[in-house]
Amino acid sequence: MLATCVSRATLVPVFKSRATVFLRARWYSTPTELPPPNKSKVWKSVDEAVKDVKSGDVLLCGGFGLAGVPDTLLSALVKRKDVTKLTGVSNNAGAGDSGLGKLFNSRQIDKVVASYPGGNKAFETLYLNGEVSLELCPQGTLVERLRAHAAGIPAFFTPTGASTAVEEGSIPTRYNEGGFANGIKIPGIKKESREFGGRKYIMEPAIAGDVAFVHAWKVDEVGNCVFRYAQQNFGTVMAKNAKLTIVEADEIVPTGSLSPTAIHIPGIYVDRIVQSTEPKRIEYTTLAPSPSSSAEPSTLTPEKEHAQKMRHRVAKRAAKELKDGYYVNLGIGMPTLVPGYLEPDVSVSLQSENGILGMGPYPSTKEEVDPDLINAGKETVTLLPGASIFDSSESFAMIRGGHIDVSILGAMQVSQAGDIANFMIPGKLVKGIGGAMDLVSNPDKTKVIVVMEHCAKDGTPKILKKCSLPLTGARTVSQIITELAVFDVDRKNGHLELVELQEGVTLEEVKAKTGCDFKVRRDLSKL
């Protein structure tokens, strides 16, 4: 007979016919009599909390646009004039005196690793003049490089950026002093490529951080963090990926007051906590137009009014491609007009790359505006019933994995083979890649539709035999919709087919304004 063990570590007698043998047994569980952790990670002084940041550090800075930006910590670091030559890793380069913009203004940053730095004109000028280095990285790749290092993975292969300037390393890291005209000081980084299952992938190295600055909503004294709405974005992976992680909290709460099922960042990753004191900012406060505004006389010039009418014409046609139940990602600009033209019986779920599924319309009033709730264009939005919020790593897993049905993007150029260019003009414009390369990385599962004006402002065609600008994706676009026509793209054979003409447009006009040959469908229809 085996005796019953009633304690966590005890001697268990085993009775045999002639002798009793004692075996030591240990039972593992959570001992209820132990008190909760009582070592607080809260620092009363923000200045003291950042005292260990040193020159040359790789600083991971959370935030997307101005949502979730750790401005309290950054303001304290700006006071440290002895700290220079930082490498800032962030989705954006800040704006004005917020985000990494603070460190650009104080000239403490020497290099940036970012996906969409173009919102900061000061940075753009510094880069084009050869005064700061830039490693331009697709947004999904950036967050995955951060996540990989935190998980002990040195590198990985991704389809994002294959056959583009990212693979070729043709985006300069730094120009010579004086800028683009004086040549390249530090060239871009060429990537190794391989084929898996007939598809091309490129190898991306993990990014290691020295220090991470993160802004969370509620944080308990042992470092467990909860984010609010789209405040999460890059914060989760960055907090896990630094030698020193400092979190600024909207609310610091007692240990044990947060539900374990609600935790976004376990306290093991957090070293220091400070109270957030900087006000939250909004880059673009956007309200839904009031019903009466459509009846008001237009204040636009005739030229701008015509351009606006053409944009809405394109959006209206693009809406016909969306079916009931689709999951859809919309790029910034013209694509955001598409939902306004959905048929009454069509309901779609809008995904925003900064971590929203089930995105609703712009808020109706200023009272509804929330700085923690923005879309990929940094505009204020709302949520629909059934919406979900997640971090950027989860968002781009949805995107690269082909779980989005349709992606609608704008473009500077599109080729007859479906190549798309929409992120930079060398030496002149460096808006950034953002999530576009990821959004076109799985065109067999996610249909990519380009909506754009047929010609550039100077009248030159934007639909070409071959793109002259750096590519966002090669053979990725399945359909092109402009104010003149609709083209289907044969990505495999590299051909265009004209399938529809917009109202009042002739075939001759489309041929004259298109920079490549194309087939014409026999039953060519007009809208």
Side-chain angles (χ1 to χ4, degrees), residues 361-374:
Y362 298 130
S364 300
T365 64
K366 288 185 178 180
E367 288 70 30
E368 292 182 64
V369 169
D370 191 318
D372 292 327
L373 201 46
I374 62 170

Side-chain angles (χ1 to χ4, degrees), residues 454-464 513:
H454 207 92
C455 296
K457 289 182 179 179
D458 62 1
T460 57
K462 295 171 70 173
I463 302 174
L464 305 166
K513 294 181 177 180

Side-chain angles (χ1 to χ4, degrees), residues 208-499:
D210 294 306
V211 182
F213 285 178
V214 175
H215 188 166
W217 178 34
K218 293 183 178 181
V219 183
D220 69 18
E221 294 176 337
V222 295
N224 294 311
C225 300
V226 177
F227 292 99
R228 183 174 181 274
Y229 294 144
Q231 184 188 53
Q232 189 172 1
N233 50 73
F234 278 71
T236 306
V237 293
M238 287 185 169
K240 297 175 181 179
N241 189 36
K243 299 171 186 174
L244 172 64
T245 293
I246 311 175
V247 177
E248 65 173 81
D250 295 332
E251 298 179 38
I252 300 175
V253 299
T255 300
S257 60
L258 298 176
S259 169
T261 61
I263 304 300
H264 293 123
I265 302 174
I268 191 172
Y269 298 110
V270 176
D271 301 295
R272 299 174 187 178
I273 306 160
V274 300
Q275 179 66 52
S276 179
T277 56
E278 289 277 332
K280 293 184 179 182
R281 310 183 193 191
I282 299 173
E283 203 160 348
Y284 302 112
T285 299
T286 311
L287 299 179
S290 63
S292 60
S293 62
S294 59
E296 296 174 1
S298 174
T299 57
L300 299 175
T301 63
E303 293 79 10
K304 288 186 176 181
E305 190 168 355
H306 175 74
Q308 185 183 67
K309 183 179 178 181
M310 293 300 101
R311 286 162 58 87
H312 281 268
R313 172 189 276 190
V314 174
K316 184 177 181 179
R317 173 58 187 84
K320 293 185 177 183
E321 297 300 316
L322 305 184
K323 308 303 180 185
D324 189 48
Y326 270 12
Y327 292 98
V328 181
N329 183 289
L330 302 176
I332 61 176
M334 197 186 302
T336 62
L337 301 174
V338 173
Y341 292 99
L342 290 174
E343 295 295 332
D345 60 342
V346 174
S347 176
V348 301
S349 294
L350 298 181
Q351 196 256 18
S352 185
E353 62 206 46
N354 57 316
I356 301 175
L357 185 63
M359 184 170 62
Y362 298 130
S364 300
T365 64
K366 288 185 178 180
E367 288 70 30
E368 292 182 64
V369 169
D370 191 318
D372 292 327
L373 201 46
I374 62 170
N375 64 12
K378 291 87 176 178
E379 302 169 312
T380 49
V381 294
T382 60
L383 299 177
L384 295 177
S388 57
I389 301 289
F390 33 86
D391 75 344
S392 296
S393 177
E394 184 73 44
S395 179
F396 282 95
M398 291 179 190
I399 291 168
R400 277 193 314 273
H403 303 285
I404 306 298
D405 294 299
V406 176
S407 175
I408 303 180
L409 301 169
M412 298 175 187
Q413 294 176 345
V414 183
S415 81
Q416 66 182 30
D419 302 336
I420 176 175
N422 72 350
F423 75 94
M424 74 177 297
I425 301 174
K428 295 182 180 179
L429 179 69
V430 192
K431 284 296 181 185
I433 298 167
M437 281 193 180
D438 299 278
L439 286 164
V440 303
S441 68
N442 199 344
D444 291 336
K445 291 187 176 180
T446 299
K447 182 179 181 179
V448 178
I449 301 174
V450 165
V451 293
M452 65 178 187
E453 295 174 344
H454 207 92
C455 296
K457 289 182 179 179
D458 62 1
T460 57
K462 295 171 70 173
I463 302 174
L464 305 166
K465 185 174 183 179
K466 185 178 180 181
C467 294
S468 60
L469 296 174
L471 295 186
T472 305
R475 293 181 182 258
T476 58
V477 177
S478 292
Q479 191 172 52
I480 306 168
I481 302 174
T482 76
E483 78 281 10
L484 301 183
V486 179
F487 292 91
D488 284 347
V489 184
D490 181 346
R491 293 185 288 110
K492 183 178 180 180
N493 296 307
H495 299 305
L496 285 182
E497 183 179 27
L498 177 66
V499 296

Side-chain angles (χ1 to χ4, degrees), residues 37-354:
N38 58 8
K39 183 180 178 182
S40 174
K41 298 179 181 180
V42 177
W43 288 53
K44 292 183 179 180
S45 168
V46 181
D47 294 337
E48 282 294 305
V50 303
K51 67 179 182 180
D52 294 317
V53 182
K54 59 186 183 299
S55 292
D57 273 352
V58 175
L59 173 65
L60 312 181
C61 180
F64 184 100
L66 302 184
V69 171
D71 274 342
T72 300
L73 291 166
L74 291 166
S75 293
L77 187 57
V78 167
K79 300 176 187 177
R80 297 275 315 279
K81 303 300 181 186
D82 58 310
V83 178
T84 59
K85 300 292 183 181
L86 293 169
T87 293
V89 181
S90 185
N91 181 61
N92 310 104
D97 193 39
S98 183
L100 289 186
K102 290 179 177 290
L103 301 181
F104 283 117
N105 296 339
S106 60
R107 297 299 179 103
Q108 289 173 276
I109 288 188
D110 184 62
K111 180 182 177 180
V112 174
V113 183
S115 87
Y116 196 84
N120 187 332
K121 290 294 183 184
F123 162 78
E124 189 175 27
T125 300
L126 288 171
Y127 171 68
L128 292 175
N129 288 338
E131 298 177 54
V132 69
S133 298
L134 168 66
E135 186 178 336
L136 199 57
C137 184
Q139 191 176 152
T141 299
L142 178 59
V143 73
E144 197 65 12
R145 290 174 68 185
L146 293 163
R147 192 200 67 80
H149 186 267
I153 300 170
F156 58 91
F157 282 91
T158 175
T160 303
S163 301
T164 73
V166 170
E167 178 189 347
E168 297 159 1
S170 57
I171 303 173
T173 299
R174 191 169 190 142
Y175 291 111
N176 284 318
E177 189 174 343
F180 176 77
N182 294 332
I184 296 170
K185 182 176 183 179
I186 304 174
I189 304 166
K190 190 172 182 179
K191 305 293 170 62
E192 176 187 338
S193 67
R194 291 188 190 178
E195 280 199 6
F196 298 92
R199 292 185 67 196
K200 190 178 187 182
Y201 294 76
I202 60 174
M203 190 177 78
E204 290 282 2
I207 296 175
D210 294 306
V211 182
F213 285 178
V214 175
H215 188 166
W217 178 34
K218 293 183 178 181
V219 183
D220 69 18
E221 294 176 337
V222 295
N224 294 311
C225 300
V226 177
F227 292 99
R228 183 174 181 274
Y229 294 144
Q231 184 188 53
Q232 189 172 1
N233 50 73
F234 278 71
T236 306
V237 293
M238 287 185 169
K240 297 175 181 179
N241 189 36
K243 299 171 186 174
L244 172 64
T245 293
I246 311 175
V247 177
E248 65 173 81
D250 295 332
E251 298 179 38
I252 300 175
V253 299
T255 300
S257 60
L258 298 176
S259 169
T261 61
I263 304 300
H264 293 123
I265 302 174
I268 191 172
Y269 298 110
V270 176
D271 301 295
R272 299 174 187 178
I273 306 160
V274 300
Q275 179 66 52
S276 179
T277 56
E278 289 277 332
K280 293 184 179 182
R281 310 183 193 191
I282 299 173
E283 203 160 348
Y284 302 112
T285 299
T286 311
L287 299 179
S290 63
S292 60
S293 62
S294 59
E296 296 174 1
S298 174
T299 57
L300 299 175
T301 63
E303 293 79 10
K304 288 186 176 181
E305 190 168 355
H306 175 74
Q308 185 183 67
K309 183 179 178 181
M310 293 300 101
R311 286 162 58 87
H312 281 268
R313 172 189 276 190
V314 174
K316 184 177 181 179
R317 173 58 187 84
K320 293 185 177 183
E321 297 300 316
L322 305 184
K323 308 303 180 185
D324 189 48
Y326 270 12
Y327 292 98
V328 181
N329 183 289
L330 302 176
I332 61 176
M334 197 186 302
T336 62
L337 301 174
V338 173
Y341 292 99
L342 290 174
E343 295 295 332
D345 60 342
V346 174
S347 176
V348 301
S349 294
L350 298 181
Q351 196 256 18
S352 185
E353 62 206 46
N354 57 316

